[in-house]
Amino acid sequence: MNTFQTPVVMASAPSVLSRPSVKRRIDPIDAPARPLGAKRSALVAKRSDSSVLAGSRNVALAAPEDTLLATGDGRVTILLRATNYGLLMERTQHQGTGMRLVQMMVFGDVKSFDHWCAVEPLRFEDGLLFSKLVREGHAALADHR
């Protein structure tokens, strides 16, 4: 005799798990920046005014036979001058506010100038300006000979 009974499965209503309400903790770093103080605001304004004047500073220093090249936004300027020792180049890079980097180099021959040009990041940022730089540099070094 077989007294095997099939189990009866009862369909139950879907149970809804209630999660406790979780409120996200806000870190101080997520808050908006606090406004600058009076001294800091004045310093930022002074620096931005002086950066505008820096572009005209290079124009004033350039002699008639010099070549001055600049990016469209004026962040990078390059002053080329042919001297008795070779090609003098002053490369100035500055941000709107903050640090300014000025490099002065003298290239005695085309090989050293081309070596520097091979690693200059301006070739990726502004290709047209870079090609002008190479062309003007080669012309100045050719006149030097």
Side-chain angles (χ1 to χ4, degrees):
M1 173 160 171
N2 210 353
T3 60
F4 181 77
Q5 294 179 348
T6 53
V8 177
V9 177
M10 306 212 18
S12 64
S15 63
V16 176
L17 298 175
S18 63
R19 293 176 36 191
S21 171
V22 177
K23 186 173 182 181
R24 182 172 175 259
R25 192 177 130 224
I26 301 199
D27 288 337
I29 198 162
D30 293 335
R34 62 178 195 253
L36 297 176
K39 284 185 178 181
R40 186 68 179 161
S41 296
L43 182 61
V44 167
K46 181 181 175 184
R47 284 184 178 169
S48 63
D49 290 344
S50 68
S51 68
V52 171
L53 297 175
S56 61
R57 180 186 72 89
N58 284 345
V59 173
L61 291 177
E65 62 273 359
D66 294 346
T67 303
L68 181 66
L69 304 171
T71 56
D73 58 0
R75 289 183 183 257
V76 177
T77 59
I78 298 173
L79 179 70
L80 299 173
R81 178 179 295 160
T83 65
N84 294 336
Y85 300 106
L87 176 66
L88 172 70
M89 182 172 64
E90 177 183 336
R91 182 184 189 276
T92 306
Q93 179 177 357
H94 66 277
Q95 301 169 352
T97 58
M99 185 176 73
R100 179 177 305 163
L101 173 68
V102 178
Q103 299 170 313
M104 294 190 77
M105 297 159 269
V106 176
F107 300 105
D109 57 352
V110 175
K111 183 180 177 184
S112 61
F113 178 70
D114 286 340
H115 181 69
W116 178 83
C117 287
V119 295
E120 168 62 22
L122 187 63
R123 64 185 178 181
F124 300 114
E125 296 168 8
D126 192 346
L128 183 61
L129 181 66
F130 179 74
S131 64
K132 287 180 185 178
L133 169 67
V134 171
R135 189 176 34 229
E136 294 291 333
H138 285 177
L141 286 168
D143 292 344
H144 171 65
R145 292 179 185 180

